[in-house]
Amino acid sequence: MQYITPNLPNAGRLVESLRHLGYGNYEALADIVDNSIDADAKTIAIKVHSKQGQIQITIADRGRGMSRSVLDEAMRLGSLTERNQRSDLGKFGMGLVTASLSLARKCHVLTRSDEGSYSSAWDVDEIVLQNSFVKHLDSATSEEEALLTAEIGPGTGTLVILTKCDNLSNRTTTSFASNLKNHLGRVHRYFINAGSNIFVNDDPAPAIDPLQLSDAGTESVMDDLISVHFGLDSERAENIRVRIVLLPETPATELDVNRSMKSQGFYVMRNQREIMAATALNFFTKHNDFNRMRGELFLPGSMDSVVGIEFTKRQVEFDQNIQDQLNAQLVPVCRTIKRREATKKRVQTSDAQQRVHAQSVKVITEKNKLLLKPKAVIEKRLPSKDPKTREMASGEQKRERKELNRTQSVESELNCVIREERLGPNGQIYECDMEGRKLVIRYNIEHPFYQRFVGDKIDESRSVTASDFLIFSMASAELREIDEGRSDSINNFKAVLSANLRTLLN
């Protein structure tokens, strides 16, 4: 075959499609800020304002600026600008164009470097009209020079002007700017702490640390380097730094449990820049026992090919070999945290309470085959005589064994345990999770539902067992839905249910 026939895309259709790649507004602007940081800018000023009834966004930095050839590349899809994999925040050469496209129909860039001042712009409407990827590129005019100086001063730097901003999710400029400031403060927190200044509508973005490391009450659980091996024959190795903390315990307020669940988990950093927030990464299942847990994974850019980072830099998906190696280190830590947090809440129940709950469990067991149940979770292991479990001397064989530390969901006979714990007066009615084949239900004895229908009715066993059956049924439904990936909606449902019942029963 001879691959010589041109196969250019339909520019008009493609550019409109590129505007809807799933970029969030704040993520897109963070990508443009990445370019400024890569250009060694220590001051970056973003303005979100209305001009003649239309929203306009400008990003000005005092970095090293761009030469004409670099600007030419930066304003095209898949630019060939030189990048340092271990330190630069940019990756695919797509950031400026695709991020700008997701926000606006026109992007105008003015830049000044030691070689001079230049101007470039593209306009979606012109690309569609000409059905060709065309742009403006020339030396800056005197008017453009004056505008550049007004925004960055007399030195080097770059000004990005986004107009025809038709893809904004929030068109209230003050609210948009406030949300953007907080987003950049968290995503670029390490750069801000290192001396970079990011302003949004003249307000400095503060470094926002989800791990609250400066709080004396934050407890360090782990701060280690994990060496991972990858490549065809595991010939390459890199260190991933993992930090896990427990936040200080604070009194819960209404619906705080739900908010905490959304924030718990790992914050993934690539070259010190956050690319993923509050994710479980398959190391644990989100649960209220993890509300105090926060972690960070620091990935070097050299691992991009095996962590599945996509060009919008919003998420990662580890190669299975990497996932297995991390699982072997981090899953046990997460399990220990969960057991510790759950044990702290447990209370000693009376003999009468234990007897009534035992009656409920007996009925559940007797009707096991008739019930819709969540699946049990068990570990998959090789037989003990397998060579992989006997020959553990070499590091390679140890890595193979770690890959077996995975779990699978299976249908099996269900065991049920009902416990009573202190989950806080503003906590949810109950918590539940699977421990192997055991469904563990944990009543919140501080919620008025428990006090009204269990604590005050302990001498009326039929009433208490009815409550137990209700909670068991809700727990089973919850865990089945979580198995299907609907944890967010379930957590919202429980938060509202618990809050409303608390109000009505008090």
Side-chain angles (χ1 to χ4, degrees), residues 231-251:
L232 291 177
D233 297 308
S234 297
E235 77 280 4
R236 294 180 60 192
E238 288 283 1
N239 287 328
I240 296 177
R241 183 185 177 190
V242 180
R243 175 157 53 198
I244 299 176
V245 303
L246 292 175
L247 302 185
E249 293 194 51
T250 56

Side-chain angles (χ1 to χ4, degrees), residues 93-129:
M94 305 272 279
L96 176 59
V97 176
T98 52
S100 300
L101 274 171
S102 73
L103 294 159
R105 299 186 71 83
K106 182 176 180 180
C107 174
H108 184 193
V109 178
L110 302 173
T111 189
R112 183 189 296 132
S113 68
D114 294 336
E115 297 182 15
S117 300
Y118 303 97
S119 166
S120 184
W122 49 253
D123 189 319
V124 170
D125 295 327
E126 278 296 324
I127 294 171
V128 171
L129 180 65

Side-chain angles (χ1 to χ4, degrees), residues 266-441:
F266 290 89
Y267 292 72
V268 183
M269 317 297 292
R270 174 187 179 271
N271 291 349
Q272 308 301 313
R273 189 264 206 205
E274 182 187 295
I275 59 174
M276 206 172 181
T279 176
L281 290 174
N282 295 319
F283 302 142
F284 70 102
T285 299
K286 288 205 171 190
H287 188 279
N288 286 331
D289 287 339
F290 291 109
N291 281 342
R292 295 176 58 215
M293 189 184 86
R294 303 287 185 275
E296 286 177 319
L297 263 71
F298 294 85
L299 305 175
S302 56
M303 289 188 67
D304 285 348
S305 62
V306 289
V307 300
I309 180 174
E310 36 92 81
F311 71 86
T312 62
K313 300 198 291 286
R314 293 173 302 158
Q315 61 183 25
V316 298
E317 186 173 343
F318 291 123
D319 174 280
Q320 188 60 57
N321 179 39
I322 301 294
Q323 182 75 51
D324 291 335
Q325 294 177 66
L326 292 174
N327 281 356
Q329 300 286 331
L330 300 180
V331 170
V333 175
C334 294
R335 286 176 180 162
T336 299
I337 289 172
K338 188 177 190 305
R339 283 195 298 267
R340 172 184 159 180
E341 292 295 295
T343 301
K344 285 195 311 184
K345 302 167 186 173
R346 199 168 301 170
V347 297
Q348 187 66 41
T349 55
S350 68
D351 291 341
Q353 291 168 310
Q354 292 178 28
R355 282 195 301 271
V356 175
H357 292 321
Q359 291 175 19
S360 303
V361 170
K362 181 180 179 182
V363 174
I364 291 169
T365 303
E366 290 172 348
K367 297 187 177 182
N368 183 275
K369 295 186 182 301
L370 303 175
L371 298 171
L372 298 174
K373 309 178 292 291
K375 292 182 179 180
V377 179
I378 62 172
E379 285 192 1
K380 297 194 300 187
R381 296 183 182 275
L382 287 179
S384 59
K385 292 184 179 181
D386 190 281
K388 291 178 183 176
T389 62
R390 290 201 312 265
E391 300 174 13
M392 297 292 288
S394 74
E396 179 63 31
Q397 285 156 342
K398 285 184 180 179
R399 287 195 297 277
E400 286 188 43
R401 181 65 186 89
K402 288 176 183 178
E403 293 178 18
L404 305 174
N405 187 17
R406 295 197 290 266
T407 60
Q408 59 180 339
S409 296
V410 297
E411 295 285 359
S412 69
E413 183 172 328
L414 181 69
N415 296 317
C416 180
V417 174
I418 299 175
R419 296 173 180 161
E420 299 183 345
E421 300 184 359
R422 295 187 181 278
L423 303 176
N426 292 305
Q428 295 180 359
I429 296 171
Y430 71 94
E431 296 295 342
C432 64
D433 54 276
M434 294 299 300
E435 294 181 0
R437 293 182 172 89
K438 185 188 302 178
L439 194 166
V440 179
I441 296 171

